[in-house]
Amino acid sequence: MHNKSLSELSTALQTGDISSVELTQHYLDRINQYNGDLNAFITVTEDRALEQAKAADKLLAEKKGGPLTGIPLAHKDIFCTKGVRTSCASRMLDKFIAPYDATVVEKTDSAGMVTLGKTNMDEFAMGSSNETSFYGPVKNPWDTGCVPGGSSGGSAAAMAARLAPVATGTDTGGSIRQPSSLCNLTGLKPTYGRISRYGMIAFASSLDQAGPMANSAEDAAWLMNIMSGFDPRDSTSVDRDVPDYTATLNDSLEGLTIGLPKEYFGEGLDPQVAEVVETAIKQYEAMGAKLKEITLPNTHLAVPTYYVVAPAECSSNLSRMDGVRFGHRAEDPKDLMDLYTRSRGEGFGEEVKRRIMIGTYALSAGYYDAYYLKAQQCRRLIRDDFLKAYEEVDVIMGPSAPTPAFRFGEKTDDPVAMYMEDIYTINVNLAGLPGMSIPAGFVNGLPVGLQIIGNYFDEARLLNVAHQYQQQTDWHTRIPDAFK
Ligand code: GLN
């Protein structure tokens, strides 16, 4: 049952071949069996899931369901879920029960989907390996000695081990695409503003964007149909029609022009990863696409720019976690300052503190112009590089991550090495563009993703480009032996 696509599951539910309760129970059983080891879920909402499944079965019986009614999913624990702990994998929010639902959750609920639980992640989405979670690291189902990537590592591991048929993630600098690459998934970070950020705990507000993590482009398209759209409660959400993302999956790629940025294939890229990515690109050529070498000359500015912008925004966003308005409160404070400093000192982990300190510094009077303002100027240059490239090409391709999954502890003592994990993904967030990672092959038994970057609001094309490749290859159908 756990090897079926969303449309196969949908048909089975609509025709009554299986019930949503049976399907949900199947996944809950798998979670029970495997989560102890993988640590992919922070919270499993078993009772709530079975209630939602019963309600879905009733709708299905009355023929009132939509295409995803009765299908289970997992939400990253960054989305507020009413009445359920929403921890952001931080001690700070370990006891936080969200009083309302994020728009994304509201949308999956009203589509009749069943929430299995909340997945593990890097604390406040800061990380690339899921090692910064207060609840401990997540294991990669492809090799449990390796990280699943981050920050959406729990959703990625849950998907790779088939503990859920589809999941949500968020991507501020690569957190959907990099774990998708490391866990053999199809993950899409949409254009900034495509999906509402309301109720999604903010890390860096001008970069954060939610998206689907799925087993195929087709499945991702189904979830995009539900997640996308304008939301008056998010002032950065864009009021623009949502196409049916499944409608154009079968369009031909004849004449498609693919840009290959030379900066994406240079130093720092594992040669075996490069080989996998190049083979995938050749396959596109065989499918009728044209290749064109391009340049994104400001790519080298992306990581330093991001590590000013993201910490600056996080230092501001996380100021609300003060032990009074939100978050962990220290015991027996002797005065207000003691309450603030100890609550925050105890509640936040090391990486989060590092970011808050960098961000506070960068925003301080006297430094603002030198750091934050300068970073915003670099950001514009990065965006302009892409816009120039899109005058000549339809999509851009390259690796999603410079290496396959790495071992636990390998990069924890070297934050800069960890930050380089996102070297190919971060500039996409800085520009606000959509990007995808799709399974493209393996290196020593570990998955490697191909990144496809599109122009603004070109998600339908990205999904089409990914789907066509998945019609010709079977990388995306591979499952680690232990979880078949
Ligand atoms: N790895 C990057 C960081 O640590 C990106 C994380 C993300 O996309 N949420 O900030």
Side-chain angles (χ1 to χ4, degrees):
M1 225 187 292
H2 49 271
N3 297 330
K4 291 201 170 21
S5 69
L6 294 189
S7 87
E8 285 166 342
L9 289 177
S10 176
T11 309
L13 286 162
Q14 309 281 342
T15 56
D17 276 357
I18 42 161
S19 70
S20 177
V21 168
E22 283 164 344
L23 186 61
T24 301
Q25 193 61 57
H26 176 75
Y27 281 105
L28 289 170
D29 290 346
R30 285 183 71 79
I31 294 171
N32 271 331
Q33 188 178 352
Y34 297 114
N35 193 51
D37 186 32
L38 295 176
N39 201 23
F41 283 84
I42 293 174
T43 306
V44 181
T45 48
E46 182 159 354
D47 295 344
R48 200 166 177 268
L50 289 168
E51 256 167 53
Q52 283 188 312
K54 268 188 214 144
D57 281 333
K58 191 158 169 285
L59 281 177
L60 289 162
E62 294 164 359
K63 303 275 174 230
K64 285 194 197 137
L68 298 190
T69 300
I71 293 183
L73 92 164
H75 280 300
K76 184 176 182 178
D77 204 17
I78 199 168
F79 293 100
C80 284
T81 36
K82 191 174 175 177
V84 176
R85 169 169 64 174
T86 300
S87 74
C88 243
S90 182
R91 183 179 181 201
M92 198 47 128
L93 295 179
D94 178 46
K95 297 193 171 62
F96 176 61
I97 309 290
Y100 67 99
D101 280 321
T103 297
V104 163
V105 174
E106 230 176 63
K107 281 174 175 279
T108 58
D109 278 358
S110 49
M113 297 187 79
V114 173
T115 303
L116 295 166
K118 309 289 296 290
T119 56
N120 207 340
M121 53 184 281
D122 280 296
E123 186 180 6
F124 286 106
M126 298 174 198
S128 300
S129 66
N130 225 117
E131 290 169 291
T132 72
S133 169
F134 172 61
Y135 303 95
V138 176
K139 292 183 185 165
N140 187 325
W142 288 95
D143 178 343
T144 52
C146 287
V147 306
S151 67
S152 312
S155 285
M159 287 300 297
R162 300 301 191 262
L163 309 187
V166 72
T168 57
T170 63
D171 191 312
T172 303
S175 281
I176 288 178
R177 289 160 290 159
Q178 185 257 10
S180 291
S181 177
L182 272 46
C183 288
N184 207 43
L185 305 176
T186 301
L188 169 62
K189 178 216 110 62
T191 308
Y192 184 77
R194 177 76 293 188
I195 293 178
S196 170
R197 292 185 299 110
Y198 180 78
M200 192 175 108
I201 295 173
F203 161 13
S205 309
S206 75
L207 302 163
D208 299 342
Q209 188 61 201
M213 297 174 77
N215 291 327
S216 67
E218 191 195 327
D219 286 3
W222 280 112
L223 198 59
M224 274 299 287
N225 280 355
I226 306 273
M227 293 175 80
S228 308
F230 175 62
D231 179 3
R233 293 174 300 187
D234 169 7
S235 60
T236 60
S237 111
V238 175
D239 193 357
R240 188 177 164 121
D241 285 348
V242 178
D244 174 357
Y245 290 105
T246 65
T248 42
L249 291 173
N250 289 314
D251 287 4
S252 155
L253 299 190
E254 202 61 55
L256 180 86
T257 310
I258 299 174
L260 304 174
K262 62 175 200 281
E263 294 79 5
Y264 275 45
F265 294 90
E267 204 194 323
L269 178 61
D270 178 322
Q272 288 176 293
V273 170
E275 210 180 299
V276 168
V277 169
E278 278 155 15
T279 308
I281 291 167
K282 280 204 196 94
Q283 173 93 28
Y284 273 104
E285 206 177 10
M287 287 157 67
K290 288 191 296 246
L291 307 182
K292 190 171 172 65
E293 186 177 300
I294 57 163
T295 171
L296 299 171
N298 292 297
T299 298
H300 66 287
L301 298 177
V303 171
T305 300
Y306 175 89
Y307 280 98
V308 173
V309 173
E313 294 184 13
C314 101
S315 73
S316 158
N317 276 324
L318 268 50
S319 64
R320 64 176 69 100
M321 316 281 166
D322 57 7
V324 178
R325 286 171 299 172
F326 288 100
H328 165 79
R329 180 178 296 192
E331 303 258 351
D332 302 324
K334 62 177 193 313
D335 56 28
L336 187 61
M337 201 38 85
D338 184 45
L339 170 73
Y340 287 153
T341 49
R342 277 203 294 120
S343 297
R344 286 168 69 82
E346 292 165 9
F348 289 134
E350 205 181 312
E351 182 61 26
V352 174
K353 286 179 189 161
R354 178 162 31 239
R355 308 270 181 121
I356 293 174
M357 284 192 282
I358 297 171
T360 307
Y361 180 85
L363 289 178
S364 305
Y367 295 118
Y368 178 88
D369 288 355
Y371 295 109
Y372 194 71
L373 191 67
K374 186 56 91 189
Q376 293 291 30
Q377 290 165 339
C378 293
R379 197 169 172 178
R380 173 54 66 110
L381 295 176
I382 290 165
R383 167 184 173 272
D384 290 348
D385 283 356
F386 278 108
L387 291 186
K388 191 146 177 283
Y390 285 124
E391 288 171 9
E392 300 180 327
V393 302
D394 300 309
V395 295
I396 293 172
M397 288 189 187
S400 301
T403 62
F406 45 94
R407 304 201 77 73
F408 288 106
E410 205 178 307
K411 300 193 184 186
T412 35
D413 295 333
D414 185 353
V416 176
M418 192 70 92
Y419 296 170
M420 295 315 270
E421 264 300 295
D422 298 311
I423 183 150
Y424 306 122
T425 47
I426 268 180
N427 53 355
V428 175
N429 300 72
L430 288 167
L433 292 164
M436 263 187 108
S437 180
I438 63 169
F442 289 80
V443 166
N444 304 327
L446 292 170
V448 170
L450 168 75
Q451 188 177 198
I452 316 171
I453 304 166
N455 207 338
Y456 294 105
F457 294 99
D458 224 0
E459 288 80 5
R461 187 188 327 238
L462 291 187
L463 290 160
N464 163 231
V465 169
H467 179 72
Q468 289 306 306
Y469 179 76
Q470 294 181 342
Q471 298 304 102
Q472 312 259 334
T473 55
D474 67 356
W475 303 116
H476 64 291
T477 65
R478 310 274 175 103
I479 303 175
D481 282 339
F483 302 95
K484 281 197 168 136

